[in-house]
Amino acid sequence: MLSKKTKYGIKAMAYIARKKDRKPVQASEISESENISQKFLESILLELRKSMFLGSKKGKGGGYYLIKEPADIKMTAVIRVLEGPIAMVPCVSLNYYEKCDDCPDEKTCSVHKLMIQVRDASLEVLGDNTLQDIATFDQ
Amino acid sequence: MLSKKTKYGIKAMAYIARKKDRKPVQASEISESENISQKFLESILLELRKSMFLGSKKGKGGGYYLIKEPADIKMTAVIRVLEGPIAMVPCVSLNYYEKCDDCPDEKTCSVHKLMIQVRDASLEVLGDNTLQDIATFDQ
DNA sequence: TTCAAAACCTAGTAAACCGATAGGATATAA
DNA sequence: TTATATCCTATCGGTTTACTAGGTTTTGAA
């Protein structure tokens, strides 16, 4: 299951991407428009800024803005930062690999075998989609 | 992330499927061979029996056995019973659908759009794989 | 120079979930 | 009758989740 944090984070980035001008967007505006608790959203936007997806400006007229073009932001990257591994099992994760305690041999593990396939399928979808793709309504 | 429950459940079913004869397999044997806490495994096997994947026999020489052929058990079914929805967001789930509180319109939701694709990709993999496929070592 | 608006930071917290464990009751084959 | 196995209920410590509270700091504009 996707956490609310990740869900809200994606929605927020999509909201910012949808704005034609590149002026900073305030957390309060996103919070209202997307029905997200403002304080919670603030912490998420902060994290996205620290992960170099967003820039920010303090004070009046400040807010958050995209650093890169929406078409250059892969959803794999966003999800990895907010949610963590894309794989459903650590022993199959490319970026967060961890050996299972119980499993003596990954090569003969039935779960491993299956989850590799699921990972690859998810990776393909999430790697193909950019923020641009999901932010736009048309098509 | 896949829960240990699901992981253990799949491993246990694969273990049972791998046995050539169809004699009941004891929880203790699976627990030892697959390094799973016996009590925890018991509860999982029980659940799998109640969900009509396994049959059981009590007393000496008892244990658990498959009701259907491994080739007829799709991994989608197993995962749905043990883990719940395959979709990463309830609003995209086929079997466990739930509307999001925050989302006024699914058709214009960027997360929805993306997660539909992920769901379909996962569904294809898990629907193609049967217990037979993942239990066998060869290939 | 003051004020208000915004991001930024730290801490806490209630509730749910997870991965077990405990302690038996019940059924069955030998 | 006994050992063996499933079956059942309850509990529990730890972690995570989804926030909330209560501020500090920076900045633009009046």
Side-chain angles (χ1 to χ4, degrees):
Chain A
M1 277 289 152
L2 211 67
S3 65
K4 301 252 175 182
K5 183 175 121 186
T6 305
K7 187 182 163 197
Y8 294 162
I10 294 175
K11 280 190 164 192
M13 288 188 72
Y15 182 89
I16 297 173
R18 238 176 269 125
K19 297 239 154 176
K20 47 257 143 233
D21 53 10
R22 280 297 151 83
K23 269 185 268 178
V25 185
Q26 290 105 23
S28 62
E29 180 186 335
I30 303 173
S31 146
E32 231 174 286
S33 173
E34 300 288 323
N35 302 304
I36 305 169
S37 141
Q38 179 166 345
K39 279 290 194 181
F40 190 28
L41 180 61
E42 273 181 24
S43 71
I44 298 167
L45 292 170
L46 206 57
E47 200 174 327
L48 285 169
R49 197 216 64 191
K50 287 180 179 167
S51 309
M52 306 297 292
F53 285 107
L54 300 176
S56 68
K57 236 186 113 183
K58 283 185 175 183
K60 205 167 195 174
Y64 294 92
Y65 52 89
L66 292 174
I67 289 181
K68 295 196 287 181
E69 287 301 308
D72 293 332
I73 302 175
K74 287 190 180 185
M75 295 315 294
T76 42
V78 178
I79 288 186
R80 280 195 179 115
V81 158
L82 293 172
E83 189 78 5
I86 287 163
M88 294 187 77
V89 165
C91 72
V92 152
S93 171
L94 297 175
N95 291 254
Y96 300 81
Y97 175 85
E98 234 173 289
K99 195 186 175 310
C100 303
D101 334 332
D102 56 300
C103 214
D105 182 18
E106 290 178 1
K107 281 187 289 300
T108 57
C109 174
S110 48
V111 174
H112 188 84
K113 200 185 205 172
L114 183 64
M115 289 305 145
I116 288 250
Q117 297 177 59
V118 176
R119 181 204 66 192
D120 286 342
S122 300
L123 230 38
E124 199 183 326
V125 169
L126 296 174
D128 279 352
N129 275 278
T130 67
L131 188 60
Q132 168 110 297
D133 297 320
I134 67 159
T136 53
F137 290 151
D138 43 276
Q139 200 272 317
Chain B
M1 277 290 153
L2 211 66
S3 66
K4 301 251 176 185
K5 184 175 122 187
T6 304
K7 186 183 165 197
Y8 293 162
I10 294 175
K11 280 191 165 193
M13 290 188 71
Y15 182 88
I16 297 173
R18 238 176 268 127
K19 297 241 155 175
K20 46 260 142 230
D21 52 11
R22 278 299 149 81
K23 269 187 269 180
V25 185
Q26 290 106 21
S28 61
E29 181 186 334
I30 303 172
S31 145
E32 231 174 286
S33 173
E34 300 289 324
N35 302 305
I36 305 171
S37 143
Q38 178 165 344
K39 278 290 194 180
F40 190 27
L41 179 62
E42 274 180 23
S43 70
I44 297 167
L45 293 171
L46 206 58
E47 200 174 328
L48 285 169
R49 197 217 64 190
K50 288 181 180 165
S51 309
M52 306 296 295
F53 285 107
L54 299 177
S56 68
K57 237 186 110 183
K58 284 184 175 183
K60 204 169 196 174
Y64 294 91
Y65 52 90
L66 291 173
I67 288 180
K68 295 196 286 180
E69 287 301 307
D72 294 332
I73 301 174
K74 286 191 182 186
M75 295 314 295
T76 42
V78 178
I79 288 185
R80 278 192 180 119
V81 158
L82 293 171
E83 189 79 5
I86 287 163
M88 294 187 76
V89 165
C91 72
V92 150
S93 172
L94 297 175
N95 291 254
Y96 300 81
Y97 175 84
E98 235 174 288
K99 194 185 173 314
C100 302
D101 334 333
D102 55 301
C103 214
D105 182 19
E106 291 178 2
K107 281 187 288 299
T108 56
C109 175
S110 49
V111 174
H112 188 84
K113 198 186 207 174
L114 183 64
M115 289 305 145
I116 288 250
Q117 297 178 59
V118 175
R119 180 204 66 191
D120 287 342
S122 300
L123 229 39
E124 199 185 325
V125 169
L126 296 174
D128 279 352
N129 275 279
T130 67
L131 188 59
Q132 167 110 298
D133 297 321
I134 67 159
T136 52
F137 291 151
D138 44 274
Q139 199 273 315

